[in-house]
Amino acid sequence: MSSEPRQGSSAVERTPLLPSFLADELPKIQADSETATPLPLLQLIILGLVRLAEPIAYTQIFPYVNDMTEHSHVTDDPSQIGFYSGLLDSTFAIVQLVTIFYWGTLSDRIGCKPVILVGLTGCALSTVLFGFSSGSFWWAVAMRALAGAFSGNSAVMNSAVSEITDASNIGRAFPLFSAFYVIGMFLGPLLGGSLAYSWQHISLFWTYPYLAPCLVSALITMASILIGVVWMKETLPNKLKAADSARTYLSNPNPDSVIAIPPKVTTGAPSPSTFSELISSSIVRRILLAIFSQNVVAMGFEVIFALFAYTPLELGGLGRNPAEIGVSLAVAAILGSILTVIAIPPLQKWTKDDVKLYTYCMCGWVLVYLIPPAMMAIGYATGGKQHSTGFVWTTMVLMLVVARACGMGWSIGQILLKNSALGPDTLGAIFGLGQMVGCIGRAIGPALTSSLFAASVGQQLLGGQLVWYIMCAISIFGAWLASRVIDAKNN
């Protein structure tokens, strides 16, 4: 394989580039599976337990966010609630967009562990403060913005997983690690749906009915911080080399026998982790565009599903309460975690092509967005059965099952993103850039779907179904973008 230096690089640059970065790892993939490097299970589990807190904090608001928006009286028009609840999630994503790349590059300099612990601390604080937003919609917006500012851990933890694995076992490591995120997506809605309006005999929780799930979520985050402080190991190679050299010196202080610490270049030639160098790669651009579209359709679904489920039957929704929405999301998340851990490895062997599997997952979103209008049409054709309890729950189950199957694409996308890195010292930056692009999609998706839903229902566009057809078209475009991704491992 070629290992030519990138154009514009300094002659003194010593950082290995993409081909040489993968050259040492490819033989492990091509060898028999028995030669694969054993998974660092203990550290993966510790990272997963630390990761668990953020999806819980993020998703615990989904079951009650529309109820909270309605009771904040930011609008008196029920059809406009979706627009304002979507604004909450978009605010989170927009602020995350501004900060995510900084957290990723900071982790490349000082290490993953301190960045992760700072992010978790901000997560706990913003979650507790969000619980005091009853009656004040704009306070809720401000606290979601604060949460977004500290939500760089997804990129940093992906970098940490990449640093403790290699190309022979990362295909098993990412699904296992992602399963903890899905478990968080199970626990979050369950907490939010079951604890909202609980403990009402205590005056504090009577005044702030959404505080209870926020407090429990913050306690889980504090437990993750404790696990991280005590058991999480630093994964940044430069810091590990420094620690090894220090231990060598302490055990043998003879200067002639001490392993020198490789100096970390901070001046001179531009670092390969800079934004311009990463974005100049066509391989990087293609996976980033696919990740953007994936976030638009997937995160748009998370918001529109809760909105669709909460909206009264007479307005074209499913008329479910926060507890029912929370349970449905939690059960679906269990399915997602099982699929992520069990289904991805055999599917990778079956397709023998991560890009193809990624495209299949993106195609599934087309079906997700076609289910509501199809079910409504069937309901009308059978004499108005779309309002029956059985029909409503069938619609919810179908949407969630297909959506969680599509969710396998998250792990595959992260593997493809990791493969596009220009070198091992750009992992934090590439994952930060991926999250940065994802933030744009997460800002657009919820705002787009909630606004389209409000307009479709309020104006009865195509019988209130226009939003589903538009999102279906966007999903088709996203699947096309996914099919154009290039797996750098194979090139």
mmCIF file of all heavy atoms in Angstrom, residues 54 58 88-100 103 119 122-123 126 141-153 439 442:
data_model
loop_
_atom_site.group_PDB
_atom_site.id
_atom_site.type_symbol
_atom_site.label_atom_id
_atom_site.label_comp_id
_atom_site.label_asym_id
_atom_site.label_seq_id
_atom_site.Cartn_x
_atom_site.Cartn_y
_atom_site.Cartn_z
ATOM 1 N N GLU A 54 -25.102 10.088 30.031
ATOM 2 C CA GLU A 54 -25.537 11.132 29.109
ATOM 3 C C GLU A 54 -26.806 10.783 28.321
ATOM 4 O O GLU A 54 -27.697 11.620 28.213
ATOM 5 C CB GLU A 54 -24.392 11.516 28.171
ATOM 6 C CG GLU A 54 -23.332 12.353 28.864
ATOM 7 C CD GLU A 54 -22.364 12.996 27.900
ATOM 8 O OE1 GLU A 54 -22.058 12.383 26.859
ATOM 9 O OE2 GLU A 54 -21.907 14.105 28.181
ATOM 10 N N TYR A 58 -30.256 12.850 28.433
ATOM 11 C CA TYR A 58 -30.758 13.413 27.177
ATOM 12 C C TYR A 58 -32.183 12.958 26.878
ATOM 13 O O TYR A 58 -33.015 13.760 26.440
ATOM 14 C CB TYR A 58 -29.824 13.015 26.030
ATOM 15 C CG TYR A 58 -30.227 13.547 24.683
ATOM 16 C CD1 TYR A 58 -30.099 14.894 24.374
ATOM 17 C CD2 TYR A 58 -30.745 12.698 23.703
ATOM 18 C CE1 TYR A 58 -30.473 15.385 23.138
ATOM 19 C CE2 TYR A 58 -31.116 13.179 22.466
ATOM 20 C CZ TYR A 58 -30.976 14.517 22.186
ATOM 21 O OH TYR A 58 -31.359 14.997 20.956
ATOM 22 N N LEU A 88 -36.468 23.133 21.822
ATOM 23 C CA LEU A 88 -35.650 22.706 22.957
ATOM 24 C C LEU A 88 -34.511 21.796 22.506
ATOM 25 O O LEU A 88 -33.355 21.975 22.898
ATOM 26 C CB LEU A 88 -36.518 21.982 23.991
ATOM 27 C CG LEU A 88 -37.354 22.831 24.939
ATOM 28 C CD1 LEU A 88 -38.296 21.951 25.733
ATOM 29 C CD2 LEU A 88 -36.452 23.627 25.864
ATOM 30 N N ASP A 89 -34.839 20.812 21.682
ATOM 31 C CA ASP A 89 -33.815 19.878 21.245
ATOM 32 C C ASP A 89 -32.854 20.534 20.267
ATOM 33 O O ASP A 89 -31.646 20.254 20.279
ATOM 34 C CB ASP A 89 -34.461 18.653 20.599
ATOM 35 C CG ASP A 89 -33.566 17.435 20.661
ATOM 36 O OD1 ASP A 89 -33.276 16.987 21.782
ATOM 37 O OD2 ASP A 89 -33.148 16.958 19.602
ATOM 38 N N SER A 90 -33.349 21.413 19.424
ATOM 39 C CA SER A 90 -32.486 22.105 18.472
ATOM 40 C C SER A 90 -31.500 23.016 19.191
ATOM 41 O O SER A 90 -30.344 23.158 18.766
ATOM 42 C CB SER A 90 -33.325 22.908 17.478
ATOM 43 O OG SER A 90 -34.116 22.051 16.683
ATOM 44 N N THR A 91 -31.938 23.644 20.278
ATOM 45 C CA THR A 91 -31.036 24.502 21.059
ATOM 46 C C THR A 91 -29.870 23.702 21.597
ATOM 47 O O THR A 91 -28.709 24.127 21.535
ATOM 48 C CB THR A 91 -31.802 25.161 22.215
ATOM 49 O OG1 THR A 91 -32.861 25.958 21.684
ATOM 50 C CG2 THR A 91 -30.875 26.036 23.048
ATOM 51 N N PHE A 92 -30.169 22.532 22.125
ATOM 52 C CA PHE A 92 -29.123 21.633 22.621
ATOM 53 C C PHE A 92 -28.104 21.342 21.522
ATOM 54 O O PHE A 92 -26.888 21.439 21.720
ATOM 55 C CB PHE A 92 -29.770 20.336 23.119
ATOM 56 C CG PHE A 92 -28.793 19.271 23.553
ATOM 57 C CD1 PHE A 92 -28.441 19.156 24.885
ATOM 58 C CD2 PHE A 92 -28.240 18.389 22.640
ATOM 59 C CE1 PHE A 92 -27.550 18.170 25.305
ATOM 60 C CE2 PHE A 92 -27.349 17.411 23.040
ATOM 61 C CZ PHE A 92 -27.008 17.305 24.376
ATOM 62 N N ALA A 93 -28.596 20.986 20.334
ATOM 63 C CA ALA A 93 -27.710 20.591 19.246
ATOM 64 C C ALA A 93 -26.894 21.763 18.716
ATOM 65 O O ALA A 93 -25.725 21.609 18.362
ATOM 66 C CB ALA A 93 -28.532 19.967 18.120
ATOM 67 N N ILE A 94 -27.498 22.951 18.651
ATOM 68 C CA ILE A 94 -26.781 24.114 18.125
ATOM 69 C C ILE A 94 -25.615 24.482 19.036
ATOM 70 O O ILE A 94 -24.494 24.756 18.571
ATOM 71 C CB ILE A 94 -27.742 25.303 17.963
ATOM 72 C CG1 ILE A 94 -28.724 25.025 16.810
ATOM 73 C CG2 ILE A 94 -26.975 26.591 17.687
ATOM 74 C CD1 ILE A 94 -29.845 26.033 16.709
ATOM 75 N N VAL A 95 -25.848 24.494 20.341
ATOM 76 C CA VAL A 95 -24.770 24.824 21.275
ATOM 77 C C VAL A 95 -23.712 23.728 21.268
ATOM 78 O O VAL A 95 -22.504 23.998 21.328
ATOM 79 C CB VAL A 95 -25.329 25.042 22.696
ATOM 80 C CG1 VAL A 95 -24.201 25.320 23.677
ATOM 81 C CG2 VAL A 95 -26.310 26.203 22.699
ATOM 82 N N GLN A 96 -24.144 22.481 21.165
ATOM 83 C CA GLN A 96 -23.194 21.374 21.071
ATOM 84 C C GLN A 96 -22.318 21.523 19.834
ATOM 85 O O GLN A 96 -21.107 21.249 19.871
ATOM 86 C CB GLN A 96 -23.939 20.043 21.024
ATOM 87 C CG GLN A 96 -23.021 18.829 21.094
ATOM 88 C CD GLN A 96 -23.785 17.529 20.920
ATOM 89 O OE1 GLN A 96 -24.683 17.429 20.092
ATOM 90 N NE2 GLN A 96 -23.424 16.515 21.700
ATOM 91 N N LEU A 97 -22.905 21.987 18.755
ATOM 92 C CA LEU A 97 -22.162 22.205 17.517
ATOM 93 C C LEU A 97 -20.999 23.168 17.726
ATOM 94 O O LEU A 97 -19.898 22.956 17.203
ATOM 95 C CB LEU A 97 -23.118 22.756 16.444
ATOM 96 C CG LEU A 97 -22.493 23.340 15.175
ATOM 97 C CD1 LEU A 97 -21.764 22.245 14.403
ATOM 98 C CD2 LEU A 97 -23.565 23.990 14.314
ATOM 99 N N VAL A 98 -21.227 24.216 18.503
ATOM 100 C CA VAL A 98 -20.205 25.239 18.715
ATOM 101 C C VAL A 98 -19.041 24.699 19.556
ATOM 102 O O VAL A 98 -17.896 25.127 19.386
ATOM 103 C CB VAL A 98 -20.825 26.475 19.391
ATOM 104 C CG1 VAL A 98 -19.768 27.528 19.686
ATOM 105 C CG2 VAL A 98 -21.920 27.070 18.503
ATOM 106 N N THR A 99 -19.309 23.736 20.426
ATOM 107 C CA THR A 99 -18.297 23.299 21.402
ATOM 108 C C THR A 99 -17.694 21.925 21.128
ATOM 109 O O THR A 99 -16.627 21.618 21.652
ATOM 110 C CB THR A 99 -18.911 23.277 22.811
ATOM 111 O OG1 THR A 99 -20.033 22.363 22.838
ATOM 112 C CG2 THR A 99 -19.408 24.655 23.211
ATOM 113 N N ILE A 100 -18.345 21.097 20.312
ATOM 114 C CA ILE A 100 -17.961 19.691 20.221
ATOM 115 C C ILE A 100 -16.557 19.503 19.664
ATOM 116 O O ILE A 100 -15.789 18.666 20.161
ATOM 117 C CB ILE A 100 -18.994 18.912 19.366
ATOM 118 C CG1 ILE A 100 -18.723 17.402 19.425
ATOM 119 C CG2 ILE A 100 -18.989 19.382 17.922
ATOM 120 C CD1 ILE A 100 -19.123 16.768 20.698
ATOM 121 N N TRP A 103 -13.903 20.123 22.327
ATOM 122 C CA TRP A 103 -13.714 19.035 23.284
ATOM 123 C C TRP A 103 -12.897 17.900 22.669
ATOM 124 O O TRP A 103 -12.037 17.301 23.333
ATOM 125 C CB TRP A 103 -15.062 18.493 23.756
ATOM 126 C CG TRP A 103 -15.856 19.438 24.609
ATOM 127 C CD1 TRP A 103 -17.082 19.970 24.320
ATOM 128 C CD2 TRP A 103 -15.498 19.963 25.893
ATOM 129 N NE1 TRP A 103 -17.510 20.792 25.330
ATOM 130 C CE2 TRP A 103 -16.557 20.810 26.318
ATOM 131 C CE3 TRP A 103 -14.396 19.811 26.722
ATOM 132 C CZ2 TRP A 103 -16.539 21.492 27.524
ATOM 133 C CZ3 TRP A 103 -14.380 20.494 27.935
ATOM 134 C CH2 TRP A 103 -15.434 21.316 28.326
ATOM 135 N N GLY A 119 -17.196 17.039 31.319
ATOM 136 C CA GLY A 119 -18.474 16.958 30.610
ATOM 137 C C GLY A 119 -19.576 16.359 31.461
ATOM 138 O O GLY A 119 -20.718 16.837 31.446
ATOM 139 N N GLY A 122 -20.853 18.925 34.027
ATOM 140 C CA GLY A 122 -21.783 19.867 33.409
ATOM 141 C C GLY A 122 -23.125 19.235 33.110
ATOM 142 O O GLY A 122 -24.175 19.881 33.230
ATOM 143 N N CYS A 123 -23.110 17.955 32.733
ATOM 144 C CA CYS A 123 -24.356 17.232 32.465
ATOM 145 C C CYS A 123 -25.216 17.138 33.720
ATOM 146 O O CYS A 123 -26.433 17.374 33.680
ATOM 147 C CB CYS A 123 -24.026 15.839 31.924
ATOM 148 S SG CYS A 123 -25.449 14.763 31.683
ATOM 149 N N SER A 126 -26.667 20.745 34.632
ATOM 150 C CA SER A 126 -27.723 21.216 33.727
ATOM 151 C C SER A 126 -29.002 20.395 33.879
ATOM 152 O O SER A 126 -30.106 20.928 33.730
ATOM 153 C CB SER A 126 -27.230 21.172 32.281
ATOM 154 O OG SER A 126 -26.899 19.850 31.889
ATOM 155 N N VAL A 141 -35.101 26.268 27.866
ATOM 156 C CA VAL A 141 -34.234 26.475 26.695
ATOM 157 C C VAL A 141 -32.802 26.774 27.149
ATOM 158 O O VAL A 141 -31.831 26.229 26.606
ATOM 159 C CB VAL A 141 -34.765 27.615 25.811
ATOM 160 C CG1 VAL A 141 -33.750 28.001 24.741
ATOM 161 C CG2 VAL A 141 -36.084 27.216 25.161
ATOM 162 N N ALA A 142 -32.660 27.639 28.152
ATOM 163 C CA ALA A 142 -31.327 27.996 28.645
ATOM 164 C C ALA A 142 -30.606 26.788 29.226
ATOM 165 O O ALA A 142 -29.402 26.607 29.009
ATOM 166 C CB ALA A 142 -31.437 29.103 29.696
ATOM 167 N N MET A 143 -31.316 25.931 29.940
ATOM 168 C CA MET A 143 -30.680 24.757 30.534
ATOM 169 C C MET A 143 -30.323 23.704 29.482
ATOM 170 O O MET A 143 -29.330 22.995 29.620
ATOM 171 C CB MET A 143 -31.606 24.134 31.605
ATOM 172 C CG MET A 143 -31.794 25.026 32.833
ATOM 173 S SD MET A 143 -30.209 25.575 33.554
ATOM 174 C CE MET A 143 -30.081 27.258 32.910
ATOM 175 N N ARG A 144 -31.121 23.616 28.422
ATOM 176 C CA ARG A 144 -30.749 22.725 27.328
ATOM 177 C C ARG A 144 -29.505 23.244 26.619
ATOM 178 O O ARG A 144 -28.669 22.466 26.149
ATOM 179 C CB ARG A 144 -31.899 22.576 26.338
ATOM 180 C CG ARG A 144 -33.083 21.799 26.880
ATOM 181 C CD ARG A 144 -32.708 20.408 27.299
ATOM 182 N NE ARG A 144 -32.624 19.481 26.194
ATOM 183 C CZ ARG A 144 -32.168 18.254 26.289
ATOM 184 N NH1 ARG A 144 -31.720 17.796 27.439
ATOM 185 N NH2 ARG A 144 -32.122 17.456 25.239
ATOM 186 N N ALA A 145 -29.372 24.556 26.540
ATOM 187 C CA ALA A 145 -28.168 25.143 25.955
ATOM 188 C C ALA A 145 -26.946 24.817 26.818
ATOM 189 O O ALA A 145 -25.874 24.467 26.300
ATOM 190 C CB ALA A 145 -28.327 26.651 25.809
ATOM 191 N N LEU A 146 -27.106 24.910 28.137
ATOM 192 C CA LEU A 146 -26.008 24.574 29.041
ATOM 193 C C LEU A 146 -25.624 23.108 28.890
ATOM 194 O O LEU A 146 -24.430 22.761 28.870
ATOM 195 C CB LEU A 146 -26.415 24.872 30.484
ATOM 196 C CG LEU A 146 -25.360 24.588 31.565
ATOM 197 C CD1 LEU A 146 -24.134 25.476 31.368
ATOM 198 C CD2 LEU A 146 -25.963 24.796 32.964
ATOM 199 N N ALA A 147 -26.615 22.245 28.776
ATOM 200 C CA ALA A 147 -26.338 20.815 28.585
ATOM 201 C C ALA A 147 -25.580 20.579 27.286
ATOM 202 O O ALA A 147 -24.638 19.778 27.229
ATOM 203 C CB ALA A 147 -27.643 20.023 28.593
ATOM 204 N N GLY A 148 -25.971 21.295 26.234
ATOM 205 C CA GLY A 148 -25.288 21.148 24.951
ATOM 206 C C GLY A 148 -23.840 21.576 25.012
ATOM 207 O O GLY A 148 -22.971 20.978 24.358
ATOM 208 N N ALA A 149 -23.542 22.596 25.823
ATOM 209 C CA ALA A 149 -22.175 23.094 25.926
ATOM 210 C C ALA A 149 -21.233 22.058 26.539
ATOM 211 O O ALA A 149 -20.026 22.065 26.261
ATOM 212 C CB ALA A 149 -22.147 24.379 26.751
ATOM 213 N N PHE A 150 -21.764 21.175 27.371
ATOM 214 C CA PHE A 150 -20.929 20.173 28.040
ATOM 215 C C PHE A 150 -21.096 18.774 27.448
ATOM 216 O O PHE A 150 -20.681 17.793 28.070
ATOM 217 C CB PHE A 150 -21.266 20.118 29.534
ATOM 218 C CG PHE A 150 -20.727 21.277 30.331
ATOM 219 C CD1 PHE A 150 -21.518 22.392 30.571
ATOM 220 C CD2 PHE A 150 -19.430 21.262 30.812
ATOM 221 C CE1 PHE A 150 -21.021 23.473 31.290
ATOM 222 C CE2 PHE A 150 -18.924 22.331 31.527
ATOM 223 C CZ PHE A 150 -19.723 23.446 31.777
ATOM 224 N N SER A 151 -21.672 18.680 26.268
ATOM 225 C CA SER A 151 -22.006 17.355 25.727
ATOM 226 C C SER A 151 -21.013 16.892 24.667
ATOM 227 O O SER A 151 -21.403 16.336 23.650
ATOM 228 C CB SER A 151 -23.418 17.376 25.136
ATOM 229 O OG SER A 151 -23.483 18.334 24.083
ATOM 230 N N GLY A 152 -19.728 17.108 24.917
ATOM 231 C CA GLY A 152 -18.718 16.648 23.975
ATOM 232 C C GLY A 152 -18.229 15.241 24.219
ATOM 233 O O GLY A 152 -17.343 14.752 23.517
ATOM 234 N N ASN A 153 -18.798 14.571 25.208
ATOM 235 C CA ASN A 153 -18.256 13.266 25.608
ATOM 236 C C ASN A 153 -18.458 12.169 24.579
ATOM 237 O O ASN A 153 -17.696 11.203 24.550
ATOM 238 C CB ASN A 153 -18.876 12.826 26.943
ATOM 239 C CG ASN A 153 -18.170 13.455 28.125
ATOM 240 O OD1 ASN A 153 -17.178 14.157 27.967
ATOM 241 N ND2 ASN A 153 -18.680 13.218 29.315
ATOM 242 N N CYS A 439 -24.196 17.365 15.053
ATOM 243 C CA CYS A 439 -24.936 18.405 15.774
ATOM 244 C C CYS A 439 -25.764 19.254 14.828
ATOM 245 O O CYS A 439 -26.880 19.669 15.153
ATOM 246 C CB CYS A 439 -23.972 19.311 16.531
ATOM 247 S SG CYS A 439 -23.235 18.529 17.968
ATOM 248 N N ARG A 442 -28.672 17.244 14.119
ATOM 249 C CA ARG A 442 -29.563 17.189 15.281
ATOM 250 C C ARG A 442 -30.259 18.519 15.521
ATOM 251 O O ARG A 442 -31.324 18.551 16.138
ATOM 252 C CB ARG A 442 -28.773 16.766 16.525
ATOM 253 C CG ARG A 442 -28.426 15.301 16.549
ATOM 254 C CD ARG A 442 -27.971 14.841 17.917
ATOM 255 N NE ARG A 442 -26.694 15.421 18.298
ATOM 256 C CZ ARG A 442 -25.522 14.941 17.952
ATOM 257 N NH1 ARG A 442 -25.448 13.882 17.164
ATOM 258 N NH2 ARG A 442 -24.403 15.505 18.360
#
